[in-house]
Amino acid sequence: LDPLLQGDAPRGRAYYWSMASRLGARAPRPPSRIGSRPSKNGQVSTADKDLARLQQELSEKAALIDLAHDAIVVLGPVDDRIRYWNRGAEDLYGYTAMEAIGRVGGQLLKRVAPVSFAELVSKASESDHWDGRLKHTTKTGEELVVESRWAVLRDGAHAASGILEVNRDITARLRAEDALREANQSLEIRVQERTEELESFSSSVAHDLRTPLRAINGFVDVLVEEAPGELNAEALDALAEIRSNAVRMGQLIDDLLAFARLGKQELEKGDVDMFRLARRAAAGLAVIRAGRSIELNVEPMPRCLGDPALLEQVWTNLLANAIKFTAGRATACITAGAEEREGRVCYFVRDNGVGFDMAHAGKLFGVFQRLHAADEFEGTGVGLATVMRISSRHGGTAWALASLGQGATFYFTVGGNQH
């Protein structure tokens, strides 16, 4: 366009009018021999008016293109030589328009592309444009990655007359993404290492604690069996308390070991009938339900993809929890089922037990976290932590809603694996 704006149009006005129309300028009427001559009264001809208007429009278009932050380049469709180089290209690559125009684009910028120049032109021609990433090198030797769009410019005969290339530098963004990815990977490795250390420590401590517990129980048995007449009622009560706490400690150790193994246990996923699984878990709790008035209802619910053994443990823990915390009710009402929340299947166990204050809900799923004293309700504080761990390993989560004295509902999901 520069030759036209400078008044030097070696290729003829028709060619530049064609170029101008592709940039959005209004195409003037082609000048006729008579119309292009000055009139007898000395007034400017129609053709000269059209040319002046065209020059003005092209100047405005060129100014707008120069204001763009993106690098905008026009290449020869065959020789890859640069024909146009905007200010954005000067800023990005460091070459002035005078240095760049006439040079082969691929050589000047050391272009690294997924295919050859001819194939890029062919792809842009076949599908209206080509989008992709290219690697370029600036005047100072800095390597850049750009998002590039190529479009074919065509003349009046629909033949390719140029390649419009628009490039946006994404080097900094990619470096930031790489840094974030590396940081996340490093964090995952550290978390995995810490988890393995914690699980190893828990397992070691749990095993080491068994020996003194067995010794305590053994000495209590010896005292009770070998010196029954020498112990008064107060001493016997003390020994019974020792034995009871030793048994509870043993249960804590067993639960801790089971919780530690959950992190290492491989998931054996399959099609799971959750309705059947919940009913089986309820049947397995018949012993702790004995002698109580409990209405336990298992509703039909969707199937899912998961590890049936682990999911049965979730149902067992939640149902046992509901049975335990409804102990003070004349008739305990417990329901196991599922409902849809925000497009996800949420399995639940609902009861009419003592409930809890939602201000303390964040403690529920931590290891050894209890909202009630041990003398009120037995337990080790590992059951709900196990529910959370199993649900998390299935890509889901667990939570609870409750009101003090009005019962509670415990929910869990199985990630995005529902059928």
Side-chain angles (χ1 to χ4, degrees):
L1 303 179
D2 287 342
L4 176 64
L5 299 178
Q6 296 167 6
D8 178 18
R11 301 188 64 171
R13 289 176 175 174
Y15 170 79
Y16 291 102
W17 284 333
S18 174
M19 289 291 291
S21 66
R22 285 197 295 277
L23 286 172
R26 295 188 299 276
R29 292 175 297 175
S32 63
R33 286 182 176 273
I34 298 174
S36 62
R37 298 174 182 174
S39 62
K40 292 181 180 180
N41 59 12
Q43 294 180 344
V44 180
S45 68
T46 302
D48 288 336
K49 288 181 179 179
D50 287 340
L51 180 59
R53 179 175 56 79
L54 177 60
Q55 288 175 329
Q56 177 63 29
E57 290 188 7
L58 287 177
S59 296
E60 294 172 357
K61 298 287 183 183
L64 288 174
I65 291 174
D66 259 348
L67 286 174
H69 291 292
D70 294 336
I72 300 176
V73 181
V74 176
L75 306 171
V78 177
D79 59 9
D80 191 18
R81 290 193 179 276
I82 298 170
R83 298 181 182 175
Y84 177 77
W85 187 266
N86 80 330
R87 193 174 302 169
E90 290 183 343
D91 294 339
L92 180 59
Y93 299 114
Y95 295 101
T96 65
M98 291 186 64
E99 291 174 317
I101 292 175
R103 301 279 297 276
V104 176
Q107 294 177 0
L108 180 68
L109 300 178
K110 298 181 177 60
R111 181 193 303 129
V112 178
V115 293
S116 67
F117 173 76
E119 289 178 282
L120 288 177
V121 173
S122 176
K123 289 178 180 291
S125 180
E126 290 172 0
S127 60
D128 186 50
H129 67 272
W130 173 84
D131 289 321
R133 289 182 179 179
L134 303 174
K135 289 184 179 180
H136 288 156
T137 302
T138 68
K139 186 176 181 179
T140 59
E142 181 185 0
E143 292 186 353
L144 304 178
V145 179
V146 298
E147 281 185 344
S148 186
R149 167 167 285 198
W150 290 34
V152 178
L153 300 174
R154 301 187 182 278
D155 58 20
H158 204 63
S161 60
I163 301 298
L164 177 65
E165 179 183 356
V166 181
N167 297 325
R168 177 169 295 177
D169 183 16
I170 60 170
T171 310
R173 190 188 83 193
L174 292 180
R175 286 174 182 164
E177 290 176 355
D178 288 341
L180 181 61
R181 191 178 302 109
E182 290 177 5
N184 286 336
Q185 290 175 350
S186 175
L187 181 60
E188 287 177 4
I189 292 172
R190 289 170 59 191
V191 169
Q192 181 65 27
E193 290 174 350
R194 297 296 184 272
T195 302
E196 290 176 357
E197 290 174 3
L198 179 61
E199 290 173 351
S200 176
F201 173 76
S202 299
S203 179
S204 176
V205 169
H207 282 295
D208 291 344
L209 286 175
R210 287 182 180 276
T211 300
L213 279 177
R214 283 196 294 267
I216 291 171
N217 277 326
F219 284 122
V220 168
D221 290 339
V222 169
L223 285 172
V224 172
E225 293 173 4
E226 305 239 352
E230 300 178 17
L231 299 174
N232 58 27
E234 187 177 350
L236 290 174
D237 288 343
L239 290 174
E241 186 67 21
I242 292 172
R243 178 181 289 164
S244 173
N245 278 279
V247 170
R248 184 171 180 273
M249 187 60 152
Q251 185 61 51
L252 279 170
I253 292 171
D254 291 339
D255 290 346
L256 183 60
L257 281 173
F259 185 76
R261 282 194 293 266
L262 281 176
K264 300 178 181 179
Q265 184 175 340
E266 292 294 329
L267 295 182
E268 297 181 3
K269 288 188 176 182
D271 178 58
V272 179
D273 184 343
M274 292 292 267
F275 174 65
R276 182 179 178 184
L277 210 62
R279 291 189 56 161
R280 191 163 66 189
L285 297 171
V287 173
I288 65 173
R289 292 162 53 191
R292 288 186 52 192
S293 174
I294 299 177
E295 294 179 0
L296 201 162
N297 180 38
V298 179
E299 300 175 344
M301 61 188 82
R303 306 169 75 91
C304 76
L305 185 66
D307 186 314
L310 291 180
L311 292 177
E312 182 175 357
Q313 188 174 349
V314 170
W315 285 116
T316 298
N317 287 7
L318 291 180
L319 288 170
N321 199 63
I323 292 170
K324 176 170 60 177
F325 288 103
T326 55
R329 299 292 186 254
T331 299
C333 298
I334 301 171
T335 302
E339 60 187 43
E340 187 171 322
R341 285 173 166 251
E342 299 180 355
R344 294 194 309 170
V345 176
C346 301
Y347 301 97
F348 68 83
V349 171
R350 181 175 293 121
D351 66 64
N352 65 337
V354 296
F356 58 87
D357 187 345
M358 286 295 292
H360 305 297
K363 298 180 179 180
L364 282 172
F365 297 94
V367 180
F368 302 141
Q369 294 292 328
R370 296 174 55 88
L371 300 187
H372 303 276
D375 56 355
E376 289 184 90
F377 299 98
E378 63 181 15
T380 61
V382 180
L384 292 179
T386 300
V387 169
M388 176 63 83
R389 174 68 72 89
I390 294 174
S391 183
S392 297
R393 292 207 61 197
H394 281 79
T397 188
W399 70 98
L401 299 175
S403 179
L404 195 60
Q406 302 297 318
T409 303
F410 287 82
Y411 295 91
F412 71 95
T413 61
V414 193
N417 297 324
Q418 289 93 0
H419 292 319

